[in-house]
Amino acid sequence: MLDKIKNEIVKAFLFDGDFIYAEPFGCGHINATYAVYFRRETKPPVRYILQAVNTTIFTDPQGLMENIQGVTSHLRKKIQEQGGDPQRETLTLVPTRDGKLLYEDSDGGFWRSYLFIENATCHQSVDRPILFTNAAKAFGHFQKLLADYPADTLHETIADFHNTVNRYELFEKAVAEDKAGRAASVEKEIRFFLDRKADGAVVVDAIKEGRLPLRVTHNDTKLNNIMMDNDTDEGICVIDLDTVMPGSVLYDFGDSIRFGASTADEDEQNLSLVSMDLGLFEAYTAGFLSEAGASLTDEEIRLLPFSAKLLTLECGMRFLTDYLNGDTYFRIHREHHNLDRCRTQITLVADMERKMEEMKKIVAKYVNRT
Ligand code: NDG
């Protein structure tokens, strides 16, 4: 792929300078991401992000790019109004030489590019609680900036993305079909999810019955989807905007806790290292409620602790579904990778169930209803 990038793809984009080299970049499970480097005559070298969109998953890449353009333009305007630096605080698309946002290559692959945000890092884990508080503030702020975005203009890039009732149906289908012949070896894991099927309907039903509002949400709020400033540790830019769609704020809060409040990596094989850290839960809750708290309804606040469990349950079930289907969705780097990922999520769900009352107390501590 690096040859193809050099010989074809980089020539299609409006990059500044002469191509030096390209290298794989980041840790995404879905798209293929590269950094591409350019030499310039009178200015320092520059790099860009180049991404091959996974069109098996995002079947409407044009619609996807319309969303990203719409959302980043909206953010850019607000950041400018507030005196911020839009090239640092939101993603900036680099167009192709013929003015498009996507380049279709000679094999039918779709590519896009962003300016590289320098002097900032995507952290893979929380080594200091302040990072997590700052991530929470950034996601809360992102939510606030998009509160007046016209939601009906957004394409639904992945239908039913966090519809946990639907996710249960897909899971039960994968168990019944057992395409990869693995179901018998993971009976215990399958049972864990089936035992919690009722949880899957809680948020979906509340949205359907109008007890929870739909908002424009990010829907994939892992810690590594925020760039944090290397000098100040502030969360400066929310990235991976592929799943920005109408959703519940609970999806964003819950998914952040799932990933960032864990004491171990998402694919840790030693499960005795995996638990949900209440201190990190508190760090995130404090930051998130300080930014977004005032705009949340009582029902949203009541369900925040449960949402952490729900999103972890959903993600674990998605990993197991993919394992049963033969690993066709998430990129894997070793044979039972999806099963390892599923097991960490199960361990976290069980730990959250034990700690639910304490999580509720922490939320109550930071709710400011004056
Ligand atoms: C990917 C998934 C996200 C999931 C995460 C797990 C898509 C588009 O991997 O939903 O929670 O690490 O499926 N994104 O980012």
Side-chain angles (χ1 to χ4, degrees):
M1 191 50 85
L2 293 178
D3 277 345
K4 190 179 175 68
I5 289 178
K6 174 181 174 190
N7 297 327
E8 179 186 347
I9 317 292
V10 291
K11 295 187 179 149
F13 284 89
L14 212 53
F15 292 139
D16 186 16
D18 296 322
F19 176 75
I20 318 173
Y21 71 105
E23 62 182 358
F25 194 83
C27 308
H29 294 341
I30 309 290
N31 301 311
T33 307
Y34 302 86
V36 288
Y37 295 75
F38 287 79
R39 186 181 299 113
R40 298 180 295 180
E41 250 166 45
T42 52
K43 289 182 277 181
V46 62
R47 55 180 169 172
Y48 299 91
I49 288 290
L50 187 64
Q51 259 184 337
V53 178
N54 182 330
T55 47
T56 312
I57 292 175
F58 297 109
T59 50
D60 173 16
Q62 300 294 350
L64 173 79
M65 294 311 289
E66 280 171 33
N67 280 3
I68 294 182
Q69 193 180 32
V71 166
T72 53
S73 309
H74 184 90
L75 294 172
R76 189 167 306 113
K77 212 170 118 233
K78 296 229 160 165
I79 293 164
Q80 258 155 359
E81 281 165 10
Q82 294 169 4
D85 172 359
Q87 287 203 350
R88 198 162 168 73
E89 293 168 36
T90 186
L91 289 172
T92 308
L93 285 159
V94 179
T96 63
R97 295 200 173 272
D98 52 2
K100 301 203 177 93
L101 299 178
L102 269 180
Y103 170 67
E104 186 174 357
D105 73 22
S106 46
D107 301 317
F110 285 92
W111 296 80
R112 67 178 171 210
S113 175
Y114 294 111
L115 293 185
F116 199 105
I117 299 175
E118 297 292 349
N119 197 33
T121 305
C122 291
H123 293 275
Q124 301 305 325
S125 63
V126 179
D127 40 22
R128 285 161 293 138
I130 185 69
L131 283 179
F132 206 33
T133 303
N134 287 350
K137 284 186 187 163
F139 277 127
H141 188 64
F142 179 84
Q143 169 100 63
K144 252 186 6 197
L145 294 185
L146 288 180
D148 59 347
Y149 191 81
D152 51 350
T153 63
L154 280 171
H155 301 268
E156 194 176 16
T157 53
I158 300 181
D160 290 321
F161 192 54
H162 285 305
N163 180 333
T164 26
V165 171
N166 186 259
R167 291 280 179 200
Y168 261 99
E169 276 168 27
L170 296 175
F171 168 62
E172 291 183 312
K173 185 163 171 272
V175 175
E177 290 178 352
D178 194 15
K179 281 191 195 145
R182 288 168 161 172
S185 63
V186 289
E187 268 177 25
K188 217 172 72 199
E189 286 79 5
I190 293 174
R191 173 61 36 212
F192 185 89
F193 293 108
L194 293 179
D195 283 348
R196 287 156 180 81
K197 192 170 173 181
D199 287 335
V202 173
V203 170
V204 173
D205 284 354
I207 292 174
K208 216 178 347 178
E209 290 159 17
R211 284 181 282 117
L212 281 174
L214 276 183
R215 303 177 186 274
V216 175
T217 47
H218 181 278
N219 295 305
D220 193 357
T221 47
K222 297 200 279 195
L223 178 72
N224 57 11
N225 277 335
I226 289 202
M227 311 270 317
M228 309 197 77
D229 189 287
N230 288 350
D231 299 325
T232 66
D233 280 342
E234 265 176 81
I236 47 167
C237 181
V238 172
I239 62 168
D240 189 353
L241 306 176
D242 292 338
T243 51
V244 173
M245 288 181 281
S248 166
V249 69
L250 296 168
Y251 301 151
D252 283 1
F253 181 85
D255 200 46
S256 286
I257 299 300
R258 171 191 83 73
F259 189 87
S262 171
T263 51
D265 288 345
E266 195 182 56
D267 58 359
E268 175 60 58
Q269 287 170 292
N270 179 355
L271 294 178
S272 69
L273 299 177
V274 182
S275 64
M276 203 258 330
D277 183 316
L278 279 171
L280 291 180
F281 179 81
E282 179 157 358
Y284 196 89
T285 303
F288 192 77
L289 290 180
S290 75
E291 269 297 324
S295 59
L296 300 187
T297 67
D298 290 347
E299 187 65 353
E300 285 174 318
I301 286 178
R302 189 179 73 79
L303 286 169
L304 286 176
F306 171 77
S307 77
K309 174 184 161 189
L310 178 68
L311 272 282
T312 312
L313 189 69
E314 177 195 304
C315 196
M317 189 166 65
R318 289 176 64 197
F319 288 141
L320 188 56
T321 303
D322 199 31
Y323 184 72
L324 291 167
N325 285 338
D327 307 310
T328 58
Y329 187 94
F330 296 104
R331 281 162 177 274
I332 54 164
H333 308 289
R334 54 178 187 254
E335 201 192 346
H336 299 294
H337 211 163
N338 273 319
L339 180 59
D340 293 340
R341 290 168 175 155
C342 159
R343 287 182 172 149
T344 61
Q345 305 305 291
I346 286 181
T347 308
L348 284 171
V349 167
D351 197 39
M352 289 175 187
E353 287 174 347
R354 284 189 290 271
K355 293 175 175 162
M356 194 52 71
E357 288 313 308
E358 284 160 280
M359 290 159 78
K360 286 182 188 165
K361 279 187 203 143
I362 290 170
V363 169
K365 189 167 145 191
Y366 290 94
V367 174
N368 187 355
R369 284 279 189 256
T370 44

